[in-house]
Amino acid sequence: MRNFVFLVIAGFLGIYGNAQDVITGSIPNWANGSGQVGVMSMGPPEVVGTFDADGNIEIPLKADALSEIKAQLEASESDSSNGWTASIPTVGERFACGGQGAELNLSGSEELITGLGGAMGFLLVNMEERKRYGYLLIASSQEFAEGLQPYKFKPGYALGWYYVDNEASAVGTCTSESYAMNQEDTYRKSTTYQVNLKKGWNIVKYEIEEVFTDKEGNSYPQKESYTTLESMPEGVGFVFLED
């Protein structure tokens, strides 16, 4: 079972909207040595930052994020022999109703978008030793992070960083009738978007505002939202989820 440690963020740099160029913080009482901050990929974790022996974390936010990803995809496609190709999602694909009974007001929907963090979080690893310590989320609480697995969802939020080359937006609310796992209980789910992306990096808050709990005690996001922020909210923290 994972052990969850809630860590208050300290020393964030450049926290003013898309002007941010690095995420920094520290893990108190860290005693596992140095390593890398990574994200999930098709193969080994993709390294996006580092942490030292004192638990000080640094995640650079590259100014040419999309250009680098495009170059990587082109290189992988030229080396691929099975015809498999990957693509970068658009704003319209990333923030969408998915046929949920409403259409969003989209601007710049064809703009490519890439991101870090959010509900998926980061990995803490040591690539040389092939060791994984666990997950790291930038979130509102330990309880929220612990609930990001089926079906133990709790109210709270996580922060993600999203990059676009040009301004784009997604505004509106999607609603749908949803079934619980028991296929008996139903609830009306809503997802609200107030996403206004500036050129460069943007902070986006994913929040579960309300949950629905079925007869068996399983819980599901019932009212959720995505909102761009101009700066880091007060009280947000690093949540370390040990493997």
Side-chain angles (χ1 to χ4, degrees):
M1 177 180 290
R2 292 173 178 168
N3 296 316
F4 298 89
V5 183
F6 179 70
L7 309 171
V8 175
I9 284 181
F12 256 86
L13 301 180
I15 59 176
Y16 298 103
N18 69 330
Q20 183 173 355
D21 58 7
V22 63
I23 304 170
T24 62
S26 61
I27 305 175
N29 304 314
W30 182 257
N32 294 310
S34 60
Q36 295 79 38
V37 181
V39 293
M40 291 287 192
S41 67
M42 293 297 292
E46 178 186 351
V47 173
V48 297
T50 60
F51 59 91
D52 63 22
D54 295 321
N56 298 311
I57 293 175
E58 182 172 301
I59 305 171
L61 298 176
K62 298 178 181 179
D64 57 350
L66 279 174
S67 297
E68 184 171 315
I69 294 173
K70 289 176 185 177
Q72 291 173 351
L73 289 180
E74 289 175 0
S76 65
E77 288 174 7
S78 64
D79 294 338
S80 177
S81 59
N82 59 12
W84 182 87
T85 59
S87 61
I88 303 172
T90 65
V91 169
E93 292 168 340
R94 178 61 188 85
F95 303 107
C97 280
Q100 293 184 26
E103 292 298 327
L104 298 179
N105 183 5
L106 293 169
S107 174
S109 62
E110 297 304 313
E111 288 292 327
L112 301 179
I113 185 170
T114 187
L116 294 169
M120 297 296 293
F122 300 92
L123 296 173
L124 295 185
V125 300
N126 186 303
M127 298 296 284
E128 292 183 0
E129 299 179 6
R130 300 191 174 210
K131 183 174 183 179
R132 192 171 92 174
Y133 299 102
Y135 294 89
L136 187 74
L137 281 85
I138 301 175
S140 57
S141 69
Q142 170 188 331
E143 290 75 19
F144 174 76
E146 183 177 356
L148 286 177
Q149 54 183 309
Y151 292 92
K152 300 178 180 179
F153 294 97
K154 305 285 180 60
Y157 66 83
L159 301 184
W161 279 256
Y162 291 89
Y163 177 94
V164 289
D165 280 335
N166 299 289
E167 291 185 358
S169 64
V171 179
T173 300
C174 311
T175 60
S176 65
E177 291 295 329
S178 300
Y179 279 91
M181 283 297 293
N182 59 23
Q183 296 298 304
E184 296 178 3
D185 295 326
T186 62
Y187 60 99
R188 190 162 186 81
K189 180 180 179 180
S190 70
T191 305
T192 298
Y193 296 92
Q194 288 291 335
V195 178
N196 294 284
L197 303 170
K198 301 175 183 177
K199 178 180 179 179
W201 287 97
N202 300 263
I203 303 172
V204 176
K205 178 174 71 171
Y206 166 67
E207 183 171 11
I208 298 176
E209 301 174 30
E210 297 177 8
V211 298
F212 171 80
T213 304
D214 66 18
K215 300 173 184 176
E216 286 75 28
N218 299 314
S219 60
Y220 313 80
Q222 181 169 16
K223 184 178 180 181
E224 58 185 7
S225 62
Y226 292 85
T227 310
T228 43
L229 303 179
E230 290 298 319
S231 62
M232 300 285 293
E234 185 176 351
V236 69
F238 279 173
V239 183
F240 174 53
L241 292 74
E242 186 177 1
D243 277 347

